[in-house]
Amino acid sequence: MGMNTSTPGQEGIPSVFSPMARTLGDLIYFTKSMVSMKPWKYDHSVHPMPWKEDEESDAKEKKRLRVGVMRDDGVVTPSPACARALEQVVASLRTEGHDVIDVDPPSPYEALVIASHLLTSDGCKTISSHFRWGEWNDPGAAQMALYAKLPRPVKYLWYLWVKYVRRDSIWAGLLQGWHQQSAFEQWKLVVQREAYKARWHDWWEEEAKMDVLLTVPNATPAIPHSGMKEAFSSCGYTFMFNLLDYTCGIIPVTHVDRTIDQLPSTFRFKDLNAVAKGAYTHYDADKMHGLPVGVQVVGQRLQEEKVLAVMERVEGALKKSGRKYQLLEIE
């Protein structure tokens, strides 16, 4: 397809190339057009799968969808603005008569640990190997590379300090495996990944029995440029589905409002784990006022048609309840 990645050869967490569009209609048109071109005829990595009209129709015509809601991944609690967007969608779908339930999936934190250790299993050498003189790394990737390069004894002492002195088991569990892995260690991580994917599949099919899952795309709205230096590890709400190889789509719902999206008086920054601190370092409802916030619609593997159809139904439910997202006007 003419696309590549900064980590060629890294197959622990496959790269995802996702189209962005101004409207959902544009996104659907683009996706259908791409599939109709039969890209598997000229790209060996593409599944030979035509557009599944029946799955699209089933998702559009089913009267009552069963929708699971993951409100918190147990690592970084969504900010007021992002939680509000999710709740607006939940309320709109319930008004439409859909079965919307809160769910408790297999540990999202475990996914973050496995995925981050797989992604950095080369010690972050590949992402730095393409630079020419005068070029520099993304702030988030630079932080990962810094941790990966620390001598193992130093890192182990740091891990002990974080876990037993700072009492931050979340951050300690991530630090513990951020180093170059041997082939033996990497294969064990792949086994953990596959076991985790199997647990999710069984949970979805046998316990949750839902059509799609709703959650936030990120714990906070968009952060400032270079903000990933602190917030690079706060990626669990999307990274988990990269690991699972699930189909996801994100639609805008509302905008940050400085009057109702302030942090509550009970919020205590110092009590957060290091991942959450990195995310909330940049959360400021005043500075973020007007930024878009949305929701993530998640389906299982290769369910693009279903997810896009449910995204349409979510958008329709928001419109009927008077919560239609207002696009920026184009002059």
Side-chain angles (χ1 to χ4, degrees):
M1 303 295 290
M3 298 177 288
N4 54 27
T5 169
S6 61
T7 54
Q10 191 283 119
E11 295 186 332
I13 307 294
S15 297
V16 177
F17 302 99
S18 304
M20 297 178 66
R22 176 171 167 76
T23 68
L24 181 56
D26 292 343
L27 180 62
I28 294 170
Y29 176 78
F30 174 85
T31 308
K32 280 188 172 181
S33 298
M34 286 291 291
V35 176
S36 70
M37 294 169 63
K38 299 181 179 180
W40 52 87
K41 294 286 188 181
Y42 48 87
D43 186 336
H44 72 280
S45 67
V46 178
H47 293 296
M49 294 176 59
W51 189 261
K52 301 187 286 293
E53 299 282 355
D54 55 337
E55 288 195 11
E56 181 183 21
S57 298
D58 289 346
K60 285 182 176 181
E61 296 169 5
K62 188 173 182 179
K63 290 186 177 180
R64 191 181 189 197
L65 295 169
R66 182 172 170 84
V67 180
V69 182
M70 186 181 77
R71 296 184 183 273
D72 195 321
D73 70 352
V75 180
V76 187
T77 298
S79 61
C82 296
R84 180 170 60 86
L86 181 59
E87 185 54 39
Q88 285 187 11
V89 173
V90 168
S92 297
L93 289 174
R94 282 180 173 155
T95 300
E96 289 275 283
H98 298 294
D99 184 14
V100 184
I101 58 169
D102 287 357
V103 296
D104 184 20
S107 170
Y109 173 65
E110 184 179 347
L112 181 60
V113 171
I114 296 170
S116 64
H117 292 175
L118 277 168
L119 189 64
T120 60
S121 60
D122 68 335
C124 296
K125 291 182 177 180
T126 304
I127 57 174
S128 303
S129 66
H130 312 292
F131 295 141
R132 298 176 181 175
W133 186 86
E135 293 181 330
W136 59 88
N137 213 337
D138 167 85
Q143 285 294 105
M144 292 296 302
L146 173 65
Y147 296 138
K149 291 176 182 177
L150 287 174
R152 294 283 284 271
V154 172
K155 189 179 300 179
Y156 184 65
L157 289 173
W158 188 14
Y159 156 76
L160 292 175
W161 182 74
V162 169
K163 185 171 183 177
Y164 297 108
V165 179
R166 290 178 53 182
R167 305 287 182 180
D168 186 351
S169 60
I170 297 289
W171 187 237
L174 291 167
L175 284 175
Q176 191 176 22
W178 279 342
H179 52 254
Q180 185 171 347
Q181 310 280 344
S182 67
F184 175 64
E185 291 171 319
Q186 210 242 4
W187 287 14
K188 288 198 295 183
L189 284 171
V190 171
V191 171
Q192 292 176 37
R193 180 196 68 190
E194 292 305 296
Y196 182 81
K197 290 165 72 172
R199 291 209 313 277
W200 253 84
H201 179 270
D202 292 344
W203 169 78
W204 189 301
E205 293 291 339
E206 299 171 11
E207 183 178 335
K209 298 179 180 178
M210 56 194 178
D211 292 298
V212 294
L213 174 73
L214 284 181
T215 190
V216 298
N218 194 47
T220 66
I223 60 175
H225 291 296
S226 299
M228 289 306 291
K229 180 179 180 180
E230 295 81 20
F232 71 96
S233 57
S234 176
C235 57
Y237 288 100
T238 51
F239 203 14
M240 172 168 59
F241 302 117
N242 293 144
L243 179 145
L244 291 168
D245 196 19
Y246 277 8
T247 305
C248 303
I250 296 171
I251 55 175
V253 175
T254 186
H255 300 87
V256 179
D257 187 324
R258 62 166 59 95
T259 62
I260 58 178
D261 292 327
Q262 298 289 341
L263 291 168
S265 59
T266 54
F267 182 81
R268 296 288 181 269
F269 184 85
K270 65 181 180 63
D271 294 336
L272 301 177
N273 64 68
V275 180
K277 284 180 179 177
Y280 275 95
T281 293
H282 299 288
Y283 184 76
D284 186 321
D286 291 314
K287 293 180 180 179
M288 291 177 166
H289 180 75
L291 287 179
V293 282
V295 296
Q296 184 174 200
V297 180
V298 182
Q300 293 174 287
R301 288 191 72 236
L302 305 174
Q303 290 188 342
E304 282 75 11
E305 299 88 349
K306 182 178 184 178
V307 167
L308 286 168
V310 174
M311 289 168 70
E312 279 190 294
R313 297 190 69 172
V314 169
E315 194 173 75
L318 288 168
K319 182 178 181 180
K320 286 182 181 179
S321 63
R323 298 186 176 100
K324 182 180 178 181
Y325 179 78
Q326 298 300 313
L327 292 169
L328 290 172
E329 294 297 329
I330 298 178
E331 296 181 0

